[in-house]
Amino acid sequence: MYRYDNYDHALVQERVAQFRDQVRRWKAGELSDEEFRPLRLQNGLYIQRHAPMFRVAVPYGMLSSAQLRRLAKIARDYDKGYGHFTTRHNLQFNWIPLERVPDALAELAEVEMHAIQTSGNCIRNVTTDQFAGVAADEILDPRPLCELLRQWSTFHPEFAFLPRKFKIAVNGALEDRALTWFHDIGLHIRKNEAGEVGFRVIVGGGLGRTPIRGQVVREFLPWQDILTYNEAILRVYNRYGRRDNAYKARIKILVQALGVEKFAEQVEAEWIHLKGGPATITQAEYERVAAFFNPPAYAQLPAIDDGFVQAQAEQPAFARWVERNVRPHRVPGYAAVTLSLKKPGTAPGDVSDVQMDRVADLADRYSFGEVRVTHEQNLVLADVRQDELQALWQDAKAAALATPNIGLITDMICCPGGDFCDLANAKSIPIANAIQAKFEDLDYLYDIGDIELNISGCMNSCGHHHVGHIGVLGVDKGNEEWYQITLGGRQGNNAHLGKVIGPSFPADEVAGVVEKLIRVYLDNRHEDELFIDTLDRLGVEPFKDKVYGDRLKGKKAA
C-alpha cells in the first residue's frame, strides 16, 4: 500500500498543528462558531446529536495492521471503545471531545492517516472495489490510479469550496463492485479494441433526496488523461453548480438541468485548455505509484488444497462460512475473506477496539498485514492461503467476526441514524436489530439466498436504501418515526433505483413488513432470479398493485 514520503509527512503534521491552533482560538473566543465551522469540517468534525462525530479517512479502503491498531487505540483512549465503518470506507468515532481531536489527529499522523477532506464541500475519499488487485475478473488494479486521484485532489485550491461535497469511485473489474453509477464521478477501467487501457467516465450519479443514476459522458478516455479530464468536469461544476440551494447543488442536478450532451460539450470545451498539461500522468509517475501496490510474496501453491476441501466436508459450519465469506483469488492456492461486522444484535458496521486489534493480528498472521474496508461495512483479508482458512475461521469466530452471512439479508447496510446523527428523521439501528432477530435461522437465510437490505435514517441515504433489493428509509410524520419501504434496487453493472411501495410504516411494524416481503418473494421467485427481476416478472407497480398490496398486508388477494 502507499507509504508517505517526506512531503506527505510534513503536510499532514502541518495540518495537525494548524487545527490545534484553530481549536485554541475557538475556545478562546477568537473564532466564532460560524467561523470555526468550515475549519472543523475540513478536519472531519461534525456536531451530532450527543457529541462531535470525527471521521477518519481510509483512502480507497486500505489499512495496514499498524493503522488499524492505532484506530483501536484511539477508540479506547479517546472514545467509548468502538468505531463505525461507513459506506465511504471511512471510520467514524462518535464520542471524542472536540478539544481532544487535535491529539487524536497527531496520533493518526504517526501512522500515516488523517481526516482531511472527509467532510465539507470538497472532493471526498476516493473509493474502489474491496477486491482490487486480487479479483479474477480484474482488467487493471485501480489502486494506483485511486492514489493518483487522491494526491491530485488533496488540498486542490480550486476545489476546496465546491457547491457541495463531491465523491469519486473507480472500478477496475468486469463487475462493478464500487457503486460507480451513483457517484458524482464514476470511472470504469476498460480496454478498447486496440487493447489500450482507459476509462469510461460517468457523471451525475448520486443518492440522497434526488436519487439519480449517472450518465456516460465519455466511453473511452486514455488513462493518462484522467486527472485533466476530472479537472475539466469539476471546473464546469464549480462554474455552473447552484450555490443558492443546498438541495440542488450536487452535480447530478446540473447534469439533469443542462442535459448530459450539453454538459459533455462544456467539459470537452474546458478540457481543451487542460489536455496534455502538467496534470497528465506520465508512465514514469504511474510506475512510481504502482510500485507501492506490487503483489506480496505469494507462495507457490496448488490451486486446490486437499486439507481445505476435506475440512469443508467434515465441518458443515466451516463449509457454510466458506460458501458465504470466502471468494476465489487470482493467485492459485489463495482466497479473499470477508470478516462480517453484522453479527446479530450489533449495529452494522460497528467494531470494538478489541476487535480492531484482533483483526490487525489476523492480518499480520494470514494476509501480509493488510486489511480492506468494504462499502457494505465489512472488512476483508484479501490474501489468505487456502490451507490456513480453517485456522482463520476459528480465530475469527473467537472475535465474533465469522458470521456466515455475506450477501444475505442480515448483511445489511445501515447508517447510525437517529441514535447519533443530527440530520436523521428516525433511528436505524433498532430497525436493523429487529430485522436481524426475524432472520436468526441460518438455514432459512440460506434458503432465501442473496438479498441486499439497506437502511437509512433520512433522505441523505448514507445507508444506500435506494439501491437495496429492499430499502428502508426513516421519515418524520408529525414528530413520530415512520419508515418508507422501497423494492427492486440493485448495485452492479446494471445498477437500478428501487421503487417506493406505498405508505410508510411505524417502527414496530417494519420487521414484520420485511418478513412478509420475503415470503412473497419466496412464493414467486425462480431460482436464478434477483429480487428486482421477480418484481418485473410479476408486473408489480408498487403504488398501484392491489393484489401485491393485499398480500403484503397479509390479506387474501382479491
Side-chain angles (χ1 to χ4, degrees):
M1 62 185 293
Y2 180 75
R3 297 301 309 270
Y4 282 13
D5 58 18
N6 290 337
Y7 179 81
D8 294 317
H9 280 291
L11 196 68
V12 172
Q13 288 165 3
E14 286 173 9
R15 170 51 75 93
V16 174
Q18 180 191 61
F19 188 61
R20 190 184 297 279
D21 186 59
Q22 289 166 348
V23 171
R24 180 196 63 77
R25 291 161 60 203
W26 169 70
K27 287 181 65 179
E30 298 171 19
L31 290 174
S32 68
D33 287 349
E34 193 59 30
E35 290 170 327
F36 183 59
R37 182 176 182 273
L39 304 178
R40 63 170 170 78
L41 287 174
Q42 290 170 0
N43 290 279
L45 268 170
Y46 291 83
I47 302 302
Q48 297 287 60
R49 192 173 298 274
H50 305 294
M53 182 272 282
F54 177 46
R55 181 181 292 151
V56 179
V58 183
Y60 38 91
M62 289 204 69
L63 284 167
S64 69
S65 57
Q67 289 173 331
L68 191 54
R69 287 192 184 92
R70 183 57 55 92
L71 292 172
K73 182 179 184 297
I74 290 172
R76 192 161 44 243
D77 294 349
Y78 296 84
D79 203 279
K80 294 189 176 182
Y82 72 98
H84 174 79
F85 283 108
T86 76
T87 54
R88 296 287 307 159
H89 298 340
N90 299 310
L91 183 75
Q92 293 179 177
F93 294 109
N94 288 302
W95 299 101
I96 299 181
L98 196 152
E99 294 82 356
R100 299 198 69 194
V101 169
D103 293 333
L105 284 171
E107 293 221 25
L108 289 170
E110 292 176 355
V111 292
E112 303 181 0
M113 297 189 77
H114 59 74
I116 296 165
Q117 293 179 204
T118 57
S119 55
N121 295 334
C122 57
I123 300 171
R124 301 286 187 89
N125 193 36
V126 177
T127 59
T128 192
D129 176 11
Q130 63 265 30
F131 301 110
V134 304
D137 65 336
E138 190 165 84
I139 299 166
L140 182 73
D141 187 345
R143 294 173 299 171
L145 291 159
C146 287
E147 175 57 29
L148 287 164
L149 284 164
R150 186 196 69 81
Q151 293 186 18
W152 160 79
S153 62
T154 301
F155 292 142
H156 196 303
E158 193 172 350
F159 308 132
F161 294 99
L162 294 167
R164 281 288 273 130
K165 57 189 175 181
F166 202 92
K167 300 174 181 179
I168 301 172
V170 186
N171 187 65
L174 296 177
E175 178 64 26
D176 180 10
R177 289 182 287 269
L179 203 70
T180 53
W181 289 101
F182 294 103
H183 278 72
D184 298 290
I185 293 177
L187 301 172
H188 292 171
I189 294 175
R190 56 196 320 217
K191 290 184 178 179
N192 62 15
E193 293 180 356
E196 299 166 324
V197 173
F199 290 92
R200 173 194 285 142
V201 183
I202 300 160
V203 176
L207 300 175
R209 187 175 299 271
T210 309
I212 296 173
R213 189 180 192 265
Q215 299 181 76
V216 176
V217 294
R218 230 178 194 272
E219 279 292 348
F220 187 84
L221 178 79
W223 63 267
Q224 298 91 335
D225 297 320
I226 192 58
L227 301 185
T228 58
Y229 200 80
N230 273 8
E231 192 152 328
I233 292 170
L234 277 146
R235 282 189 174 182
V236 172
Y237 171 50
N238 215 8
R239 186 181 307 139
Y240 298 113
R242 292 184 62 171
R243 295 177 184 270
D244 62 324
N245 187 327
Y247 300 121
K248 297 183 179 180
R250 297 293 292 270
I251 195 173
K252 61 188 177 183
I253 304 300
L254 177 61
V255 173
Q256 294 296 309
L258 290 177
V260 68
E261 294 83 6
K262 182 67 174 178
F263 180 86
E265 288 174 11
Q266 294 278 352
V267 171
E268 294 290 331
E270 185 63 41
W271 191 42
I272 290 172
H273 307 292
L274 299 166
K275 184 178 180 181
T280 304
I281 303 171
T282 65
Q283 185 67 36
E285 177 63 2
Y286 173 80
E287 290 175 358
R288 181 188 74 83
V289 175
F292 289 102
F293 302 94
N294 284 336
Y298 293 120
Q300 294 286 331
L301 300 171
I304 302 296
D305 180 76
D306 291 338
F308 168 58
V309 174
Q310 183 178 352
Q312 291 179 77
E314 294 174 350
Q315 299 182 65
F318 175 57
R320 179 172 271 172
W321 178 76
V322 169
E323 178 186 348
R324 277 288 146 190
N325 296 47
V326 178
R327 285 179 58 94
H329 198 289
R330 68 189 309 165
V331 176
Y334 284 83
V337 174
T338 301
L339 302 174
S340 175
L341 299 183
K342 312 294 176 58
K343 182 181 178 181
T346 62
D350 276 11
V351 57
S352 72
D353 61 319
V354 174
Q355 287 177 314
M356 284 189 266
D357 280 332
R358 292 294 296 274
V359 173
D361 292 343
L362 296 178
D364 284 338
R365 179 176 175 184
Y366 297 108
S367 193
F368 300 100
E370 289 185 355
V371 182
R372 314 282 184 92
V373 184
T374 81
H375 79 266
E376 291 97 351
Q377 301 173 291
N378 292 308
L379 300 176
V380 168
L381 301 180
D383 298 294
V384 181
R385 292 170 56 130
Q386 284 184 15
D387 58 7
E388 294 183 336
L389 282 168
Q390 186 180 14
L392 169 60
W393 169 64
Q394 291 168 339
D395 288 344
K397 275 200 306 179
L401 294 166
T403 305
N405 65 342
I406 301 304
L408 301 176
I409 196 168
T410 56
D411 179 28
M412 59 188 73
I413 294 174
C414 181
C415 74
D419 284 306
F420 298 98
C421 182
D422 213 29
L423 301 175
N425 294 317
K427 293 181 174 66
S428 300
I429 296 170
I431 301 301
N433 290 340
I435 294 170
Q436 287 172 331
K438 286 282 186 183
F439 296 94
E440 289 182 319
D441 185 335
L442 274 177
D443 290 330
Y444 184 40
L445 280 177
Y446 277 64
D447 288 342
I448 297 168
D450 290 335
I451 290 287
E452 295 174 3
L453 188 147
N454 301 346
I455 307 172
S456 297
C458 75
M459 281 301 295
N460 284 314
S461 193
C462 294
H464 292 180
H465 67 277
H466 292 108
V467 293
H469 298 149
I470 303 174
V472 180
L473 167 65
V475 295
D476 182 7
K477 289 180 64 173
N479 294 321
E480 293 183 2
E481 296 182 354
W482 288 64
Y483 297 85
Q484 193 178 74
I485 309 297
T486 58
L487 293 180
R490 64 177 164 197
Q491 307 181 56
N493 294 350
N494 191 22
H496 195 286
L497 290 165
K499 298 178 181 179
V500 179
I501 66 170
S504 53
F505 298 88
D508 59 357
E509 292 184 14
V510 174
V513 168
V514 171
E515 186 177 38
K516 290 177 182 178
L517 284 170
I518 293 300
R519 287 176 188 166
V520 173
Y521 167 58
L522 293 175
D523 287 346
N524 291 278
R525 71 174 177 180
H526 289 161
E527 269 188 33
D528 59 345
E529 288 181 326
L530 292 172
F531 199 86
I532 186 173
D533 299 322
T534 301
L535 295 175
D536 289 343
R537 181 172 58 83
L538 292 173
V540 171
E541 288 291 340
F543 287 113
K544 303 173 184 177
D545 196 296
K546 185 178 188 306
V547 172
Y548 186 81
D550 285 345
R551 294 177 71 179
L552 176 59
K553 295 172 185 175
K555 301 176 182 178
K556 290 184 178 179

